[in-house]
Amino acid sequence: MKAAVAFALLGAAVGRSNINIVHIVVDDLRPELGAYGMQRVTPNIDKLSKEGFTFDRAYTQQAVCGPSRNSFLSGRRPDASRSWNMINHFREDHPNWTSLPGMFKKAGWDSMGSGKVYHPFLPPYWDGVKSWSDVSLPFENPCWGYGISCVPCVHTNGTEVEQVCSKDGFGPGSVKTCWCEVEALEDIQTVDHGIYLLKRAKAAGRNFYLAFGLHKPHLPWQASKKNFDIYRNWNKTTVAEHKTAPIGMPDIAFHSCDSKSPWEPIADEDAINARIAYYAATTGMDEQVGRIIAAVEEEGLTNSTAFVLHGDHGWQLGEHAEWRKNTNFELGTKVPFIVKLPDWYLGGGGHRVGGLTELVDLM
């Protein structure tokens, strides 16, 4: 089954004069959220789920940031976009395609974005005028020069500072050490700027499509001590059930393992610490989603705004010795996907969609 609700949303939105769309794209987010039956502290995403449609079998077209975003933001599969890696982008072969943000711009809306919506440089300048209205240019993605994070991820031991992710501390590095109790400043700045654009569009009385690209839980895993302590005190974090690669797995199916080989997993203590860090970063990201929801409510736009939230691809947390994305395994490609519509549209929410859904169907 295709993403029929998403199609209905976009079709209805373009045809109406009183609806806006907030599109939240989250980096490296697997469907390990309260909304998906997991004991995770994600109350704001859970709120969207309870009031909307939650897709239980949603998948990206490729488990790599650049190609995935080139796919769902152009409405084409990688074989058509010609983007399979972190080098090429769809504009090279298809300069005249209409992107998802560009579709709303052509319809006369304010097409606006903040943060990691497209992957840096893919296309160049975040696709510039082809995707975004003048009000959103130059496009702002905080700390994109580092490409990883605004603040170095370090561990402190007394007065000594240890760079844990790379020689400069920005990462990404080994999952055994690439985490720290440092707030993810880039997502705070992304939401700050997005809320500014939201208020500006409201003041101008214009319909808008507004995309937020949230970076966490991308490596390095950064979050406040408060959020780390939630899961440290929880004492229920476990290691993967299957910690080594499948027997007979072809080499091409595997990417990297953060250990000597796919059949020698990292130590359980390191795995648990890494999982705690991922969960803490996810909870920190959810707090930023809460700020977005609150801003829509404060501006009196709740009954005229639809939300679309999803990951760009999945993530592996030690399953089959994998600790990243870049595979075609279930956990590498499966994503959370939630659509929350205004109450007047389709009679409220709290619905589960069990049919197969692909992010390419957003457009």
Side-chain angles (χ1 to χ4, degrees), residues 180-300:
C180 54
E181 295 175 359
V182 176
E183 199 73 74
L185 183 58
E186 62 267 34
D187 284 348
I188 294 172
Q189 292 181 346
T190 288
V191 173
D192 285 347
H193 182 62
I195 291 174
Y196 161 77
L197 293 173
L198 171 75
K199 291 180 176 180
R200 188 166 175 174
K202 165 67 184 307
R206 294 181 56 80
N207 290 103
F208 61 83
Y209 162 87
L210 175 57
F212 290 83
L214 299 182
H215 193 236
K216 298 306 173 189
H218 191 291
L219 282 166
W221 293 319
Q222 295 173 286
S224 65
K225 181 179 185 302
K226 168 181 64 92
N227 288 334
F228 269 91
D229 286 346
I230 290 172
Y231 300 100
R232 286 174 178 150
N233 297 332
W234 186 42
N235 291 326
K236 293 184 180 180
T237 300
T238 60
V239 298
E241 181 178 357
H242 303 288
K243 296 188 289 184
T244 59
I247 297 173
M249 176 194 70
D251 291 345
I252 197 171
F254 203 79
H255 178 64
S256 62
C257 57
D258 281 75
S259 57
K260 293 180 180 179
S261 81
W263 293 274
E264 300 177 76
I266 67 175
D268 284 356
E269 181 181 0
D270 291 329
I272 288 174
N273 284 335
R275 286 185 158 211
I276 286 172
Y278 180 90
Y279 302 154
T282 300
T283 293
M285 172 276 299
D286 180 80
E287 291 172 351
Q288 300 309 312
V289 173
R291 293 181 61 212
I292 298 169
I293 296 171
V296 170
E297 293 173 349
E298 289 166 6
E299 293 299 316

